Coordinates of all heavy atoms in Angstrom, one line a residue:
T1097 N 96.0 108.3 -16.5 CA 97.1 107.5 -15.9 C 97.3 108.1 -14.5 O 97.3 107.5 -13.5 CB 98.3 107.4 -16.7 OG1 98.0 106.7 -18.0 CG2 99.4 106.6 -16.0
E1098 N 97.5 109.5 -14.4 CA 97.8 110.1 -13.2 C 96.6 109.9 -12.3 O 96.8 109.7 -11.0 CB 98.0 111.6 -13.4 CG 99.4 111.8 -14.1 CD 99.6 113.3 -14.5 OE1 98.5 114.0 -14.7 OE2 100.7 113.6 -14.8
D1099 N 95.4 109.9 -12.7 CA 94.3 109.9 -11.9 C 94.1 108.4 -11.3 O 93.7 108.2 -10.2 CB 92.9 110.1 -12.8 CG 91.7 109.9 -12.1 OD1 91.3 110.8 -11.3 OD2 91.0 108.7 -12.1
I1100 N 94.5 107.4 -12.1 CA 94.3 106.1 -11.5 C 95.4 105.8 -10.4 O 95.1 105.1 -9.4 CB 94.4 104.9 -12.6 CG1 93.8 103.6 -12.1 CG2 95.8 104.8 -13.2 CD1 92.4 103.6 -11.9
F1101 N 96.6 106.4 -10.5 CA 97.5 106.4 -9.5 C 97.0 107.1 -8.3 O 97.2 106.7 -7.1 CB 98.9 106.9 -10.0 CG 99.8 105.9 -10.7 CD1 99.7 105.7 -12.1 CD2 100.6 105.0 -9.9 CE1 100.6 104.8 -12.6 CE2 101.5 104.1 -10.6 CZ 101.4 104.1 -12.0
A1102 N 96.5 108.2 -8.5 CA 96.0 109.1 -7.4 C 94.9 108.3 -6.6 O 94.9 108.3 -5.3 CB 95.5 110.4 -7.9
R1103 N 94.1 107.6 -7.3 CA 93.0 106.9 -6.7 C 93.6 105.8 -5.8 O 93.2 105.6 -4.6 CB 92.1 106.3 -7.7 CG 91.2 107.3 -8.2 CD 90.2 106.7 -9.4 NE 89.8 107.9 -10.1 CZ 88.7 108.7 -9.7 NH1 88.1 108.4 -8.5 NH2 88.4 109.7 -10.3
K1104 N 94.7 105.2 -6.2 CA 95.3 104.1 -5.4 C 96.0 104.6 -4.2 O 96.0 104.0 -3.1 CB 96.3 103.3 -6.3 CG 95.8 102.3 -7.3 CD 95.3 101.0 -6.5 CE 95.1 100.0 -7.4 NZ 94.6 98.7 -6.7
V1105 N 96.7 105.8 -4.4 CA 97.4 106.4 -3.3 C 96.4 106.7 -2.2 O 96.5 106.6 -1.1 CB 98.1 107.6 -3.7 CG1 98.7 108.3 -2.5 CG2 99.4 107.2 -4.6
G1106 N 95.2 107.3 -2.6 CA 94.1 107.9 -1.7 C 93.6 106.6 -0.9 O 93.4 106.7 0.2
K1107 N 93.4 105.4 -1.6 CA 92.9 104.3 -0.9 C 94.0 103.7 0.1 O 93.5 103.3 1.1 CB 92.6 103.2 -2.0 CG 91.2 103.5 -2.8 CD 91.0 102.4 -3.8 CE 89.7 102.6 -4.6 NZ 89.4 101.7 -5.6
A1108 N 95.2 103.7 -0.3 CA 96.2 103.3 0.6 C 96.3 104.1 1.9 O 96.5 103.5 3.0 CB 97.6 103.3 -0.2
I1109 N 96.1 105.3 1.7 CA 96.1 106.3 3.0 C 94.9 106.0 3.8 O 95.0 105.9 5.0 CB 96.2 107.7 2.5 CG1 97.7 108.0 1.9 CG2 96.0 108.6 3.6 CD1 97.8 109.4 1.3
A1110 N 93.7 105.8 3.1 CA 92.5 105.6 3.8 C 92.5 104.3 4.5 O 92.0 104.2 5.7 CB 91.3 105.7 2.9
K1111 N 93.1 103.3 3.9 CA 93.2 101.9 4.6 C 94.3 101.8 5.6 O 94.3 100.8 6.4 CB 93.2 100.9 3.5 CG 92.0 100.7 2.7 CD 92.2 99.6 1.6 CE 90.9 99.4 0.8 NZ 91.0 98.4 -0.3
G1112 N 95.3 102.6 5.5 CA 96.6 102.4 6.3 C 96.2 102.7 7.8 O 95.6 103.6 8.2
N1113 N 96.6 101.8 8.6 CA 96.4 101.9 10.1 C 97.6 102.5 10.8 O 98.4 101.9 11.5 CB 96.0 100.6 10.7 CG 95.6 100.6 12.1 OD1 95.2 101.7 12.5 ND2 95.7 99.6 12.9
F1114 N 97.9 103.8 10.5 CA 99.0 104.5 10.9 C 98.7 105.2 12.3 O 98.0 106.0 12.4 CB 99.6 105.4 10.0 CG 99.7 104.9 8.6 CD1 98.9 105.4 7.6 CD2 100.5 103.8 8.2 CE1 99.0 105.0 6.2 CE2 100.6 103.3 6.9 CZ 99.8 103.9 5.9
V1115 N 99.4 104.6 13.4 CA 99.2 105.2 14.7 C 100.5 106.1 15.1 O 101.4 105.5 15.4 CB 98.9 104.3 15.8 CG1 98.7 104.9 17.1 CG2 97.7 103.4 15.4
I1116 N 100.3 107.4 14.8 CA 101.5 108.3 15.1 C 100.9 109.3 16.0 O 100.1 110.0 15.8 CB 102.0 108.9 13.8 CG1 102.5 107.7 12.9 CG2 103.2 109.9 14.2 CD1 102.9 108.2 11.5
K1117 N 101.5 109.5 17.2 CA 101.0 110.2 18.3 C 101.5 111.6 18.3 O 102.6 111.8 17.7 CB 101.3 109.5 19.7 CG 100.8 108.1 19.8 CD 101.3 107.4 21.1 CE 100.8 106.0 21.1 NZ 101.4 105.3 22.3
G1118 N 100.8 112.5 19.0 CA 101.4 113.8 19.2 C 100.3 114.8 19.2 O 98.9 114.5 19.1
S1119 N 100.6 116.2 19.3 CA 99.7 117.3 19.5 C 99.3 117.8 18.0 O 100.0 117.6 17.0 CB 100.4 118.5 20.1 OG 101.1 118.0 21.4
G1120 N 98.2 118.5 18.0 CA 97.7 119.0 16.9 C 97.4 118.2 15.7 O 96.8 117.1 15.9
K1121 N 98.2 118.4 14.5 CA 98.0 117.6 13.4 C 99.1 116.4 13.4 O 99.2 116.0 12.3 CB 98.0 118.5 12.2 CG 96.8 119.4 11.9 CD 97.0 120.2 10.6 CE 95.8 121.1 10.3 NZ 95.8 122.3 11.2
S1122 N 99.7 116.2 14.4 CA 100.8 115.2 14.5 C 100.3 113.9 13.8 O 99.4 113.3 14.2 CB 101.2 115.1 16.0 OG 101.8 116.2 16.5
G1123 N 101.1 113.5 12.8 CA 101.0 112.1 12.2 C 99.8 112.1 11.2 O 99.6 111.1 10.5
S1124 N 99.2 113.2 11.0 CA 98.0 113.3 10.0 C 98.6 113.3 8.6 O 99.6 113.9 8.3 CB 97.1 114.5 10.3 OG 96.5 114.5 11.5
I1125 N 98.0 112.5 7.8 CA 98.5 112.4 6.4 C 97.3 112.8 5.4 O 96.3 112.3 5.5 CB 99.0 110.9 6.1 CG1 100.1 110.6 7.0 CG2 99.5 110.8 4.6 CD1 100.5 109.2 6.9
F1126 N 97.6 113.8 4.7 CA 96.6 114.3 3.8 C 97.0 114.2 2.4 O 98.2 114.3 2.0 CB 96.5 115.9 4.1 CG 96.1 116.2 5.5 CD1 97.1 116.5 6.4 CD2 94.7 116.2 5.8 CE1 96.9 116.8 7.7 CE2 94.6 116.5 7.3 CZ 95.5 116.8 8.1
F1127 N 96.1 113.9 1.5 CA 96.2 113.7 0.1 C 95.1 114.1 -0.7 O 93.9 113.8 -0.2 CB 96.6 112.2 -0.2 CG 96.9 111.8 -1.6 CD1 98.0 112.3 -2.3 CD2 95.9 111.1 -2.4 CE1 98.3 112.0 -3.6 CE2 96.1 110.9 -3.7 CZ 97.3 111.3 -4.4
D1128 N 95.2 114.6 -1.9 CA 94.1 115.2 -2.7 C 93.5 113.9 -3.5 O 93.8 113.8 -4.7 CB 94.6 116.2 -3.6 CG 93.6 116.9 -4.4 OD1 92.4 116.9 -3.9 OD2 93.8 117.5 -5.4
K1129 N 92.7 113.1 -2.8 CA 92.2 112.0 -3.4 C 91.1 112.4 -4.5 O 90.1 113.2 -4.1 CB 91.5 111.1 -2.4 CG 90.9 109.8 -2.9 CD 90.2 109.0 -1.8 CE 89.5 107.8 -2.2 NZ 88.9 107.0 -1.3
P1130 N 91.0 111.9 -5.7 CA 90.0 112.2 -6.7 C 88.6 111.8 -6.3 O 88.4 110.8 -5.5 CB 90.5 111.4 -7.9 CG 91.9 111.1 -7.7 CD 92.0 111.0 -6.2
G1131 N 87.7 112.6 -6.7 CA 86.2 112.1 -6.6 C 85.7 111.3 -7.8 O 86.5 110.6 -8.4
Q1132 N 84.5 111.5 -8.2 CA 84.0 110.8 -9.3 C 84.4 111.3 -10.8 O 84.5 110.6 -11.7 CB 82.4 110.9 -9.3 CG 81.9 110.2 -8.1 CD 82.2 108.7 -7.9 OE1 83.0 108.5 -7.1 NE2 81.5 107.9 -8.7

């Protein structure tokens, strides 16, 4: 159950077109998306 939610969150972040400006890692969103 946790895995299927994590996959959904990972896809939402990958598909999200979030344009947040700034220096360095500004606006970057990181998530531990599952593999196979």
Side-chain angles (χ1 to χ4, degrees):
T1097 301
E1098 292 170 340
D1099 179 81
I1100 199 70
F1101 273 96
R1103 292 178 190 279
K1104 278 289 187 177
V1105 173
K1107 287 180 181 178
I1109 292 173
K1111 291 181 178 179
N1113 187 22
F1114 311 118
V1115 181
I1116 299 171
K1117 303 173 184 177
S1119 311
K1121 295 185 174 75
S1122 292
S1124 298
I1125 300 173
F1126 303 93
F1127 178 74
D1128 188 23
K1129 181 182 176 182
Q1132 299 300 105

